[in-house]
Every structure is written in structure tokens, then in C-alpha cells.
Amino acid sequence: MTPVEADIISLLKKEVKPALGCTEPIAVALSTAKAVEIMEEKCPGCCTAGWRLAADFSIRVEVSGNILKNGMGVGIPGTGMIGLYIAAALGAVCGKSEYALEVLHDLEPGAIARAKELVERKKISINIADTTRKLYVKAYVSTGDGHESSALIEDDHDNIVETCFDGSILHSGHAQAKDEESAGMTGRDITVKEIFSFTENAAYEDIRFILESRDLNLALAQEGLQGDYGLKVGKTIHAARNREVFGSDFMSYAMSLTAAASDARMAGCTLPAMSNSGSGNQGITVTMPVIAYAIKYGTDEETLARALVLSHLVAIHIKGYLGRLSALCGCVIASTGASCGIVYLRGGNCGHVCAAIKNMIGNITGMVCDGAKVGCAMKVASGVSSAIQSAVLALEGTCISEHDGIIEKDIEKTIRNLGQIGSEGMQNTDNMILDIMVCK
């Protein structure tokens, strides 16, 4: 394995990991879990039996606007409830910070009941933080004895950068995070050409781990098809009674599987998703169309693994220019990655992959993110349809011209244009969406 290949594999492992529940409320749960652990460690005398339900116990969480937007309407695993209040309560009651994005892994009925009681007794407060960061969560746990602990998450959903007890900093990872960022590869540090070369040439044994994203996300899709989750978008597309509308071809199959996984996840299914760039829905969308193709046409595991690597890496690369959270729906980025994976499975080369990316950017750029919710499954289905259309057109030699809109002749400039629109150009859109949501 070359040093560059090792860096790319490290990037994949950093950005592709399991997540139980929507990652914005999960970040809140992780922050409260860590703050509670600090209180239990530093002040065991305050933490007698039932201390979380004591009259003097409270949790205050400060979040960025984007965390609030993406946490307001999404289902929280196993609870039948939505929002950040129950997520914060669950983190305090049964969360374990060592599980990171699977912080609620030990969820059980008793814990859910205790968390609901915390919410009902108004022990939880959620406030918008005074911060310019898109991804910011700080949880404070207070007791009547005057003790307070806190845990701060910034920039990544599982990146705890600071912990405090009674005003004293216990740990600060700000400097360490900067050092790691400068030392490690990011999505901006690779190109589409390098991604395609890695996809073709990496040793299979070094990338086989990526098949876990198939196992986790396919299980979610099957759960979504069997249950009655959310808007039942995937289940409806898949239903025999609707075949005269949707047919039974690859496109409808890919749309149904991908949307079904999103249906289940957004409605609070207790199965984990394999995320991409901090988003479970993005992880679902980047993988499921590729997996659907492999199932439909009997693709061998090595070829599927390579297609998934390509799909994941293209999404990570584009996301590197957007940041973790933005006004641009992650479905745009993820379905672009999926389009590239489909191109690969159908025998396309690097030129075809670049054409598919341009077709996608010229098609659905501008789809807004108005928060995580069950309706995301409809956006996911639209993204899959566009991904397949863009892949087929690219393989037929059709590519949106550099004379059109934001498309450039150079693929990397085109990707940067998309990133600039999503991270800078749509900032006012992001603020307006949040204003509308919180004023309803």
C-alpha cells in the first residue's frame, strides 16, 4: 500500500462510520452523555439514585442554528417522539460517549420512560448559541449543590473539543483538532482523477471494509419496506399496486430501496445507518442506488466494493467544499456520488464519471435543506432518479457543456462552484429557512 492509498483509506474510515439516529440530535445526545459522565466522575456525591429526576437537576443545551434546523422534526430512535429535547434527555439517561455516533446503543424501554419524564418535567432547555459555527453543541448539566459540568462539540458530530467542571477546563481539543486536520487528508486534498485511480487500483483486501455500508444500509432499507415508517415513500414506490406508474425496473427498485432506508431512519428506527461525512441520510443515498444495481444485476462483491469506494469518496470530496451543514440538501452531494458508482458498475471510465458529476451539478443544484424529517425520503428518491439519469446520459456521451450555468470545463472548478454556492451563496436562504421553521 502506498502512502497516498493509506491516506485515502484513513479518510474513508474517518468519514464513513455507523450512526444510530439522525446525526444532529445524536450530537446533542452525545454532548449531554459526556456532560453527565463528567458530573458522575467529579461529583459522585451529587449523583445518588434517581439524581437525574431530582428537583435541582437540569440540562441546558446551546446549539447552532443548523443543528436546531436539522433536529426539530426528525424522529428519535425507539421513542415515537421528535426533536432535540428527547435526544438530550436520552443522552443523559442512557448515553455512553464511548459509542460516539451510536451513543444511544443501550436504548431500552426503562431509559425511554425516564427520558420522557425529564422532558415532561421541563428539566431540558434548548437555546440557539451565539456562534458562527454551523455545527455547534454545548451541553451543561447542573445540580442544586452548585456544581456544573459541560461538554462542547464543534465541526464534526462526534468531535468533543472541550469538557469542563465547575468552570475549570478538564480537556481542550481545539489545538489537537487543528494539528490533526493539518496532518490528515481531507476531502479537498484529492481530485476526481485520483479517486478514480484509487478505485481501480487499490488492493481489494484494503477496501473490503466498505461493504459494511452495504450491510447496514440494506438492513435499514428492508426494514423500511416491511414497516410503516414516515411517509412510506419507499414502500409506496415498491408496492405492486403502483407498478403501472413506477414499473419494476432498476430505477424504481433503486428509488424504493433508498427512500425506504430514509423512511425508517427519519422516523426513528433503531437500526444504525452507515453515514457519510457526518450524515446518515447522505450515507444511505450514496450507497443504496449502487447496492440496488448490484442486487438487480448480480455484481460480484469486489466490483461492488470498488463502486462503493468511488461513490463514498466523490461525496466526501464534494462535501469538503461545503462543510458539514449548509442550506444545500446533502441529497445533491450524495446522489452525485451514487451516480458515479453506477457509472463504474456499467463499465464507465474517469471521463464518464466527470460527465455524470457535471450532469448532476447542472441538474439538481439548489435543492434546499429545510431540516431533517420524514419528508427527506422524497428528496432522496428525487436524487436517485437524477443520479441514474445522469449516469446513463454520461455513458451515452452526453455531458452538460461548460457554456451552461455553473459548469466549467475542469471538473474540479465545477465542484468548487457548487461548494461556493452551497456554503456562501445560500447563506441568506439558510437563515430564512430557520426563521420560518422556528416561527411556525
Side-chain angles (χ1 to χ4, degrees), residues 85 93 102 114 193 200-201 242 270 280 332 371 376 389 428:
Y85 288 89
V93 169
E102 294 185 276
R114 293 193 298 276
K193 185 177 180 181
E200 285 197 308
N201 298 312
N242 293 322
T270 55
V332 175
C376 289
Q389 176 185 339
N428 286 340

Side-chain angles (χ1 to χ4, degrees), residues 192 195-196 199-200 210 213 250 254 276 282-295 297 299-316 318 332-358 360 383-384 386-392 394-395:
V192 174
I195 289 170
F196 192 83
T199 297
E200 285 197 308
I210 208 69
S213 61
F250 162 58
N276 178 293
Q282 185 165 306
I284 288 167
T285 309
V286 90
T287 57
M288 285 313 304
V290 179
I291 294 163
Y293 187 97
I295 294 171
Y297 299 110
T299 304
D300 65 87
E301 293 214 330
E302 179 174 343
T303 304
L304 172 59
R306 294 187 186 280
L308 288 172
V309 162
L310 175 62
S311 184
H312 274 297
L313 283 173
V314 167
I316 291 166
I318 299 173
V332 175
I333 295 94
S335 53
T336 300
S339 186
C340 297
I342 292 167
V343 165
Y344 183 83
L345 290 178
R346 289 175 62 86
N349 58 32
C350 188
H352 293 126
V353 165
C354 292
I357 295 171
K358 290 181 181 181
M360 287 294 291
V384 173
S386 296
I388 296 169
Q389 176 185 339
S390 294
V392 171
L395 289 165

Side-chain angles (χ1 to χ4, degrees), residues 64-377:
S64 58
N66 284 80
I67 292 288
L68 182 65
K69 180 181 76 172
N70 281 348
M72 288 174 64
V74 69
I76 307 304
T79 65
M81 297 175 68
I82 62 171
L84 298 181
Y85 288 89
I86 186 64
L90 283 171
V93 169
C94 66
K96 290 185 179 178
S97 64
E98 65 190 88
Y99 294 156
L101 294 181
E102 294 185 276
V103 61
L104 301 183
H105 182 273
D106 292 342
L107 197 64
E108 47 85 25
I112 294 171
R114 293 193 298 276
K116 287 182 177 181
E117 187 174 353
L118 280 178
V119 175
E120 289 167 3
R121 293 175 62 178
K122 302 188 184 305
K123 296 292 186 179
I124 315 289
S125 66
I126 307 289
N127 305 288
I128 295 183
D130 182 14
T131 179
T132 59
R133 293 182 182 273
K134 296 287 188 181
L135 201 165
Y136 178 99
V137 180
K138 189 167 188 179
Y140 299 85
V141 170
S142 302
T143 69
D145 298 329
H147 295 292
E148 182 177 79
S149 59
S150 66
L152 171 63
I153 290 174
E154 289 181 345
D155 301 333
D156 285 321
H157 294 81
D158 57 352
N159 184 34
I160 300 175
V161 297
E162 184 182 277
T163 56
C164 298
F165 181 73
D166 285 351
S168 298
I169 295 176
L170 302 177
H171 166 75
S172 177
H174 291 89
Q176 178 184 348
K178 275 191 174 179
D179 291 342
E180 288 177 355
E181 186 175 335
S182 61
M185 176 178 279
T186 70
R188 292 188 181 210
D189 297 327
I190 51 176
T191 65
V192 174
K193 185 177 180 181
E194 289 167 340
I195 289 170
F196 192 83
S197 176
F198 175 81
T199 297
E200 285 197 308
N201 298 312
Y204 176 48
E205 58 267 25
D206 293 334
I207 60 171
R208 185 185 293 147
F209 69 89
I210 208 69
L211 291 174
E212 187 183 353
S213 61
R214 172 200 59 187
D215 300 337
L216 290 187
N217 292 345
L218 183 57
L220 257 178
Q222 291 168 339
E223 177 68 16
L225 289 177
Q226 292 166 8
D228 289 328
Y229 289 97
L231 300 180
K232 299 183 282 188
V233 178
K235 192 171 185 176
T236 301
I237 294 172
H238 188 70
R241 66 182 179 277
N242 293 322
R243 285 200 182 135
E244 63 177 354
V245 177
F246 294 107
S248 57
D249 56 12
F250 162 58
M251 181 178 282
S252 65
Y253 184 57
M255 288 171 65
S256 66
L257 278 186
T258 312
S262 180
D263 281 323
R265 182 171 178 274
M266 292 291 95
C269 174
T270 55
L271 294 176
M274 185 63 81
S275 68
N276 178 293
S277 304
S279 167
N281 254 1
Q282 185 165 306
I284 288 167
T285 309
V286 90
T287 57
M288 285 313 304
V290 179
I291 294 163
Y293 187 97
I295 294 171
K296 191 84 170 173
Y297 299 110
T299 304
D300 65 87
E301 293 214 330
E302 179 174 343
T303 304
L304 172 59
R306 294 187 186 280
L308 288 172
V309 162
L310 175 62
S311 184
H312 274 297
L313 283 173
V314 167
I316 291 166
H317 177 42
I318 299 173
K319 193 73 170 179
Y321 291 97
L322 278 164
R324 279 293 188 258
L325 300 172
S326 73
L328 188 69
C329 177
C331 163
V332 175
I333 295 94
S335 53
T336 300
S339 186
C340 297
I342 292 167
V343 165
Y344 183 83
L345 290 178
R346 289 175 62 86
N349 58 32
C350 188
H352 293 126
V353 165
C354 292
I357 295 171
K358 290 181 181 181
N359 289 343
M360 287 294 291
I361 292 176
N363 185 359
I364 59 173
T365 293
M367 182 186 288
V368 297
C369 171
D370 56 342
K373 60 206 174 304
V374 293
C376 289

